[in-house]
Amino acid sequence: MQFSLQLPQPPLRKLCVRHQRIADQGTNLKLQQALDALPEEERQVVNSIWSNFSTSSHPRRELILQGILTMCCFSQLSLLTEQLGHLIRIDPFIVFPREVSLKILAYLDATSLCRAAQVSKHWRSLADDDILWREICQQHIGQKCLKCGWGLPILERRRQARPGSASPFMPPSPPSSSKRQLEAAHSHLDRPLKRQRSEGHHYPHDQPTASPSPPSSSPQPTDLLTPSTNIKTDMITRPWKDVYSERLTVERNWRRGRCLVRTLRGHTDGVMCLQFSETLQHPSFPILITGSYDLTVRVWNLETGLEIRCLKGHTRPVRALQFDEAKLITGSMDHTIRVWNWRKGECIRTLEGHTEGVVCLDFDANILASGSADTTVKIWNSCTGEAFTLRGHRDWVNAVRLWDAHEGASSPPDHCRSTLKIDTGKMLFSASDDGTIRLWDLAKRTCVRQFTGHVGHVQSLRILDVDDESGGDSLHASDPAHATENSSLDVVQLCGGSNPADICTVVTHDTRKSNENMDNTWSTNRTANNSTASMIGKPAKKPVLISGSLDNTIKVWDVETGKATRTLFGHIEGVWAVACDKLRLVSGSHDRTIKVWNREEGRCTATLFGHRGAVTCVGLGEDKVVSGSDDGDVRIWSFSDHE
């Protein structure tokens, strides 16, 4: 006689989750095989018990189970515990529709999503969904997340399909001249060396010509003029999870001090100013332009480190420069401002008006502003040479920054119009050796606010629009005592080549605390803040002013009130240059170091050592810092790659 296991399965009815799983796993088949292995009498007894239980009502089933439990020994109870622990578990993502599952997973942070993807293939297909990762990218990339306070770099250049080029870290070109000797030690009370040289040194008076002088191994001049027509630029679409992962790697390198350092040599004297751009439509490689005390302006391929062009024309040191797609404008201690076509290496126009050296400049689509050692600020029409003068500072004007107080109020770009017309809301910040920062209304040509607080020469300015998070500072604020108690140093020595002068050191501060926060902070209050953030929407923007001074400090100012909201201490000598974006702030100092700061907390996260002279200029990118020094070297600290 054959006995079979028969569990009630009403016809034309969909199985419940539990019995559907039993059917899928073949549990009934396994029980039938175990039953067939028993003697016939035992099979009949077991089958009778199962049949009676299956036909019983729910109350009777509970009674039978209670009686069986009272008769069980510990071994049987242990078996029940083991089996029940598995049987009562239900995978919700198998039951829920995909849309509901994705809604639930949207409350998880990036770390939790990665862990969820390891549960099963089905969970992985849900946790890797592009919609989830796109939302996480939108919260973190290019800005500080409102929920966790962390942000990731945009890496704009990697978003664009570009033709292949040489590795960004191929061996650098041979230096064009021997390295400078180490400078003698200077007292911080003395006037800095670069200022002394600009006042009393005699420079060769070359004829004001602009001649390109690319090295033989660099691209031909035509490479900078017109884009090639035979280059295919196919757009590549990648999963949002890969986009996030790539940027997370770069951000972790920033916080752990992992970078690769390269040194560009070519200038024969101190480098005083620099700017680089990685988003030019043409050429396909990023461009770096530097100005120096050797009277030259040099154009570099930032990827290969090759010098493309050397612009000559100024007869005294070049102290300031700025460029865009079309032009390069330089300011020199020879009292002139030159407008160049940097692609061709031609000087287009020379602006004269200052009675002393031009120390700083800034331009936008319509106007050019310059500051000079003659204590004045001039506002120019760079095409016609028309200008007016702002007076008020009592010493050198070291930095100028244009600012549109009323967003969207500026007129369409037309910088070649015959009259110098200033739009309402166009403002200018200027910093001086007199220790003050002034805010000018260019339409009224008057000073409307003065920022006082520095006790030394103010050398550098940056203006930044940040999210106005009123009452939200507690999320990002750190307890200074707690930070000091748990602080630690992580020293990494880097070697950029066989030259001993290329050895650099990166010291990261509070490494353990930062790394722990990176892994854990994203999940803090995410669920509680999810609905709140959706109601708040995009936060309002608030302008802040950042200044660096020879009093060894960096100050963050509230533009609306004119008050210093934070002072950053860390450099042991004067600060020559600052640069910033929404994620971090960097500074270069006379103490030969570069510091990376968390602006909101006022905490130094890393210190970069390597220059043999004062760091006079810095540029900040999403994955790199470019620095110039009195030692004549330009260093590239790339955090997208590390040894």
Side-chain angles (χ1 to χ4, degrees):
M1 178 181 293
Q2 294 291 328
F3 297 93
S4 61
L5 178 64
Q6 296 180 357
L7 296 179
Q9 296 181 359
L12 302 179
R13 288 182 59 187
K14 185 177 180 180
L15 295 177
C16 68
V17 175
R18 160 142 170 69
H19 289 97
Q20 182 63 53
R21 184 167 63 178
I22 290 177
D24 294 340
Q25 295 176 350
T27 304
N28 288 348
L29 179 61
K30 295 177 182 178
L31 288 176
Q32 184 64 53
Q33 292 173 350
L35 183 64
D36 293 341
L38 297 177
E40 182 176 350
E41 293 182 359
E42 293 184 14
R43 274 185 286 173
Q44 184 176 2
V45 173
V46 173
N47 191 67
S48 175
I49 295 174
W50 286 346
S51 299
N52 290 333
F53 184 82
S54 64
T55 57
S56 299
S57 61
H58 286 285
R60 187 184 299 175
R61 286 188 178 190
E62 293 178 0
L63 181 60
I64 294 174
L65 289 175
Q66 290 175 1
I68 292 176
L69 288 175
T70 59
M71 292 182 287
C72 288
C73 298
F74 283 110
S75 59
Q76 286 89 40
L77 291 177
S78 178
L79 175 63
L80 284 175
T81 302
E82 180 182 350
Q83 293 294 324
L84 289 176
H86 172 69
L87 293 177
I88 64 176
R89 293 174 183 169
I90 299 178
D91 186 347
F93 294 148
I94 294 179
V95 181
F96 296 152
R98 182 178 180 86
E99 294 77 9
V100 177
S101 300
L102 292 178
K103 184 66 175 179
I104 295 173
L105 291 174
Y107 285 88
L108 299 183
D109 56 82
T111 303
S112 300
L113 278 178
C114 291
R115 291 171 179 168
Q118 299 174 358
V119 173
S120 66
K121 292 182 178 179
H122 181 63
W123 279 51
R124 180 172 183 175
S125 67
L126 293 171
D128 288 350
D129 189 87
D130 246 17
I131 297 177
L132 298 177
W133 287 99
R134 183 182 65 180
E135 180 183 354
I136 292 180
C137 288
Q138 290 174 344
Q139 292 173 357
H140 294 88
I141 293 179
Q143 61 183 350
K144 291 288 183 74
C145 176
L146 296 178
K147 302 171 185 176
C148 65
W150 287 75
L152 301 179
I154 300 177
L155 301 184
E156 181 67 31
R157 178 170 168 77
R158 301 192 185 186
R159 297 177 57 195
Q160 305 174 5
R162 294 183 180 272
S165 59
S167 169
F169 292 100
M170 62 184 296
S173 58
S176 60
S177 61
S178 61
K179 66 177 183 178
R180 299 177 59 213
Q181 298 298 323
L182 293 175
E183 298 173 352
H186 302 288
S187 170
H188 67 279
L189 299 177
D190 296 337
R191 201 169 181 86
L193 177 63
K194 67 174 185 177
R195 191 62 63 79
Q196 294 174 0
R197 287 184 294 180
S198 67
E199 293 172 350
H201 194 77
H202 296 285
Y203 299 93
H205 292 278
D206 299 335
Q207 293 298 322
T209 59
S211 57
S213 58
S216 58
S217 59
S218 64
Q220 296 299 318
T222 54
D223 290 346
L224 299 179
L225 300 181
T226 56
S228 176
T229 57
N230 58 358
I231 296 178
K232 295 182 180 180
T233 57
D234 298 329
M235 299 303 295
I236 301 176
T237 301
R238 297 186 299 159
W240 282 102
K241 185 177 182 179
D242 292 350
V243 173
Y244 180 89
S245 177
E246 179 183 50
R247 284 148 180 79
L248 178 61
T249 299
V250 174
E251 182 65 19
R252 279 178 170 161
N253 289 343
W254 273 105
R255 298 184 178 275
R256 296 171 182 175
R258 297 174 177 175
C259 64
L260 195 60
V261 185
R262 295 176 57 238
T263 303
L264 309 185
R265 292 190 172 92
H267 286 293
T268 58
D269 210 331
V271 179
M272 304 310 301
C273 51
L274 63 82
Q275 182 191 344
F276 68 92
S277 176
E278 299 180 279
T279 57
L280 295 175
Q281 294 299 318
H282 179 73
S284 60
F285 49 84
I287 290 292
L288 166 68
I289 301 181
T290 57
S292 169
Y293 260 96
D294 63 9
L295 319 186
T296 66
V297 177
R298 298 177 188 264
V299 183
W300 309 79
N301 181 330
L302 192 57
E303 279 189 348
T304 63
L306 295 177
E307 180 185 323
I308 300 173
R309 201 180 292 282
C310 180
L311 308 181
K312 298 181 180 179
H314 285 294
T315 58
R316 296 195 70 187
V318 180
R319 288 294 305 270
L321 65 82
Q322 184 181 349
F323 75 94
D324 59 15
E325 290 272 1
K327 63 183 177 296
L328 162 70
I329 300 181
T330 58
S332 168
M333 297 307 293
D334 62 11
H335 309 180
T336 68
I337 299 171
R338 290 181 179 268
V339 183
W340 308 78
N341 182 330
W342 59 269
R343 298 179 185 274
K344 296 182 179 180
E346 298 175 351
C347 181
I348 302 172
R349 186 180 184 89
T350 301
L351 303 178
E352 298 180 351
H354 284 292
T355 59
E356 296 290 341
V358 179
V359 183
C360 56
L361 59 85
D362 189 27
F363 71 82
D364 61 12
N366 295 322
I367 60 176
L368 164 68
S370 62
S372 169
D374 62 13
T375 74
T376 67
V377 176
K378 285 188 177 291
I379 308 300
W380 306 79
N381 181 320
S382 58
C383 288
T384 65
E386 180 187 0
F388 64 84
T389 304
L390 303 176
R391 304 180 189 276
H393 286 296
R394 302 183 303 276
D395 209 333
W396 286 34
V397 179
N398 298 312
V400 289
R401 287 289 161 186
L402 293 167
W403 175 53
D404 289 318
H406 304 143
E407 186 177 356
S410 60
S411 61
D414 186 15
H415 52 271
C416 286
R417 53 191 174 193
S418 58
T419 59
L420 186 56
K421 180 182 178 182
I422 306 297
D423 299 314
T424 303
K426 178 69 71 174
M427 314 293 281
L428 175 78
F429 292 95
S430 62
S432 170
D433 274 355
D434 61 17
T436 67
I437 303 170
R438 290 176 179 264
L439 175 61
W440 306 82
D441 187 330
L442 297 185
K444 299 178 181 179
R445 305 187 183 184
T446 59
C447 177
V448 296
R449 186 168 296 131
Q450 185 168 321
F451 301 76
T452 57
H454 281 297
V455 294
H457 303 167
V458 184
Q459 293 294 325
S460 183
L461 289 178
R462 286 292 185 273
I463 186 74
L464 180 67
D465 287 331
V466 299
D467 295 335
D468 186 7
E469 302 174 7
S470 301
D473 295 338
S474 59
L475 179 62
H476 315 298
S478 62
D479 182 2
H482 178 75
T484 303
E485 179 183 355
N486 294 278
S487 62
S488 63
L489 298 179
D490 187 10
V491 181
V492 180
Q493 192 173 56
L494 310 169
C495 183
S498 58
N499 192 336
D502 291 338
I503 296 178
C504 305
T505 304
V506 178
V507 178
T508 54
H509 309 271
D510 292 333
T511 305
R512 289 175 298 182
K513 179 181 177 182
S514 298
N515 293 342
E516 181 181 356
N517 287 346
M518 169 163 288
D519 294 331
N520 299 330
T521 307
W522 278 315
S523 59
T524 304
N525 294 332
R526 181 178 175 90
T527 304
N529 292 334
N530 196 28
S531 58
T532 305
S534 61
M535 290 186 296
I536 295 175
K538 252 191 170 181
K541 296 296 182 180
K542 177 181 180 181
V544 297
L545 181 68
I546 300 171
S547 61
S549 169
L550 295 188
D551 62 8
N552 307 355
T553 68
I554 302 165
K555 287 185 179 291
V556 182
W557 307 82
D558 187 326
V559 173
E560 297 176 354
T561 63
K563 303 293 184 182
T565 59
R566 189 180 294 276
T567 301
L568 310 184
F569 298 92
H571 287 292
I572 59 176
E573 293 191 60
V575 178
W576 286 112
V578 294
C580 62
D581 58 20
K582 293 182 178 179
L583 302 182
R584 58 188 53 85
L585 184 153
V586 298
S587 58
S589 169
H590 202 74
D591 61 15
R592 307 182 183 185
T593 68
I594 302 163
K595 287 187 178 290
V596 184
W597 304 83
N598 182 314
R599 177 179 51 81
E600 290 89 349
E601 298 179 6
R603 177 172 55 88
C604 178
T605 60
T607 303
L608 314 181
F609 298 86
H611 281 293
R612 295 164 292 128
V615 181
T616 54
C617 50
V618 293
L620 175 62
E622 293 164 338
D623 61 348
K624 65 174 62 67
V625 174
V626 181
S627 58
S629 169
D630 261 347
D631 59 15
D633 292 343
V634 177
R635 291 184 185 263
I636 304 170
W637 314 72
S638 176
F639 292 86
S640 59
D641 300 90
H642 64 88
E643 296 176 328

